[in-house]
Amino acid sequence: MLRRKLLYTIHCDKLSENYFTSKIRIEIQMLMLLFFCLASERYKDSSATDGNTFLMAQDGKPESTIIIAKEPTPSARLAALELQYHVNKITGVMLPIMTDDTKVDGRRILVGESAITSELGINASDFKSQEYMIRITSDTIVLIGKDCQETEENLKEAGISTVFANINVSRIRLDYGKLMGTESNNIVLPGFFDDQGTSYAVYDFLERFCDVRWYGPTELGIVHPTAQTLQFKNNDIRRSPAFAHREGSMITPWPILKELWDNPTTEECYLYMRRLRTGGDKWAGNHSFSSYYDRFLRRNPDHPELFEGEHTEYFAQGRSNSDRQFCYTNPDFIKQVAQDARDFFDGKGLKGLAPAMGDYFAIVPMDNSAWCLCPECQAELEKDKQTSSPHFSNGRASGYMFGFINNVAKELKKTHPDKYISALAYWDYAYYPERIQLESNIAVAPCLQTRIYWGPNIAKNDIKFYKSWVEKKDRSIYLWLYYCFPEENALVGGYHCFPGFMAHTAARQIKMYHEDGVKGLFLCGIGEQVDFYITMKLLDDPELDIDKILDEFFTSYYGNSAESMKRLYLRIEEIYSDSGNYPPEVRAEERQFHQNEEIAWKYLGTEKLMAELGELMQQAKQLAITDVGKQRVQLFENGVWNYMVEGRKKYLAKH
């Protein structure tokens, strides 16, 4: 008999006839039954196995052993611990972890490359970057992929940052045991952009075969079944994430996400980002000249070591502000930037905070319009006037800026033809520079405002210039997505925004990006709990069904409150995404719009809508029975609903 329904998960509420209407109860039961049936083979209690089944644990006892190399990679070490930890949460069984120099009888789970995988003819060197394998037979499970081969001993000096904004540091050390509430176990996490195919294999195995889900960084965000027996049918999977680069700037102090994620620690965030496979190929693109002021304009007493000599000719002529732009037509400046790129690719490191990684050296101007006033620069800018636009993303400086980028790329190609300049298509230089024949060694990342596509003209402008880049298919294309809206504007403006939920918009866009051959994405801000989760899942596999992901999230995470919480999320998403709910000028005018306080609470969060949403919030609270269910609903109430109520209250007080 299948015991999954009784044991389902310590994190899901039991169904309650006291609170559900018959219709809702049947819908939830059908979803749960489907979930149970799909997983029944791996959780059934029968002790009988055959040549097509691997028995991992039975009746609360271990039936297999995890085996790693004597000197495992950081990826394999983490993967083994994560597998052991989550199997223990599901079954109560602590699978032993042994090294490959120890004789082990019985069923084996081979995590990462080892002497035993080599005997089987499976070697990490045979895998491409980010590629991994899940192979299940009756006596052996192999979970392996391409890993960075540095060992923990090589990385023993790795430190840890405590600043959320620096979440993308290369490698950090943390006490895994302390974090998981077990014995102290200090390990080095693989860097986000290290090859870590083995950990990808384990995380995919836990999701695909063990029904583990990570909906947030803390313990409260983990959903998993409970069963005394775990067994799996033979299988063989070999794959890589769909998008090669998957990165996001962690800005967790923002009110909504911080509360929804249960106020996570820095260490919990580091681990969570790896569970969702953040990272991938080494690519960098961001504003790149901030250190030039200290190197070539004046000696900074805080960083005197950076000063190389005064070169005022590098800087925008006729400008006096301290963060002015540069003279992008100056030949000596072009040669200096090209030399910096050469030095990086020759292993001489970076000077200051210049963004570069792998085969990519970023060239992105400062974030202002203090362009150089010299005749040469002004002549180039004059040529771009015909591409002016009222939108934030336009072409007022496209030819000017990409002319500079092109000249640097030409210089670099002379000595490093296999390396790339990475550029953003952003702001005044977003449009494709039609008057320039771009060098092949330039990778470009269009910057898209995907979270404000409720503005139809904004969406139209974005998609038009995005397509102008991808349709030529003549270079690597990455994307910079503004997931920071509308929260960033609200935080800067001192008001509360109407939440920018956009799961279905994100799903449509990501599918299009994949079809267009986009290599990777950077999320500027990562969105809220659901939006970030579905984004990362779709970056791994854009063919997933967004509605099935959402059904699973709300059913497994909120239990009894699933229907009310799903309706609450979808209603907020519907209101936010529909341009008909915004002022008429949003739809009529060809210019840039952002949500402001008036739009948030006069047009979106109206009295009528807030009353409707308030009823759903109360229903969800009443339906939550277990402590965990109540806590999760409370996180949403604290992070989203109370934030909205306070936002409307502040707006009404002013009017």
Side-chain angles (χ1 to χ4, degrees), residues 289-295 297-298 315 322-324 366:
F289 295 118
S290 60
S291 297
Y292 274 56
Y293 304 98
D294 294 342
R295 293 175 63 191
L297 186 61
R298 70 281 193 258
F315 296 83
S322 59
D323 62 346
R324 65 184 184 268
M366 303 308 292

Side-chain angles (χ1 to χ4, degrees), residues 319 321 323 325 366-373 381 427-428:
R319 303 286 188 178
N321 52 310
D323 62 346
Q325 294 283 357
M366 303 308 292
D367 205 359
N368 63 62
S369 57
W371 304 118
C372 180
L373 298 178
L381 287 165
W427 183 38
D428 282 357

Side-chain angles (χ1 to χ4, degrees), residues 449-462:
Q449 304 177 80
T450 182
R451 297 205 95 199
I452 55 175
Y453 282 1
W454 44 260
N457 293 321
I458 297 172
K460 181 180 177 181
N461 183 66
D462 256 24

Side-chain angles (χ1 to χ4, degrees), residues 608-620:
K608 181 180 179 181
L609 177 68
M610 291 296 282
E612 176 188 341
L613 298 178
E615 289 182 7
L616 291 172
M617 188 75 253
Q618 285 303 118
Q619 286 178 19

Side-chain angles (χ1 to χ4, degrees), residues 72 90 150 262 459 529:
I90 294 168
E150 292 183 275
D262 192 26
Q529 179 183 22

Side-chain angles (χ1 to χ4, degrees), residues 618-635:
Q618 285 303 118
Q619 286 178 19
K621 291 176 65 177
Q622 293 170 0
L623 291 167
I625 298 176
T626 67
D627 288 342
V628 168
K630 291 176 181 178
Q631 289 177 59
R632 288 174 174 163
V633 172
Q634 189 65 52
L635 291 180

Side-chain angles (χ1 to χ4, degrees), residues 542-555:
E543 298 305 316
L544 294 175
D545 186 315
I546 177 60
D547 291 310
K548 288 183 179 179
I549 299 176
L550 290 172
D551 283 344
E552 182 183 78
F553 171 83
F554 287 101
T555 301

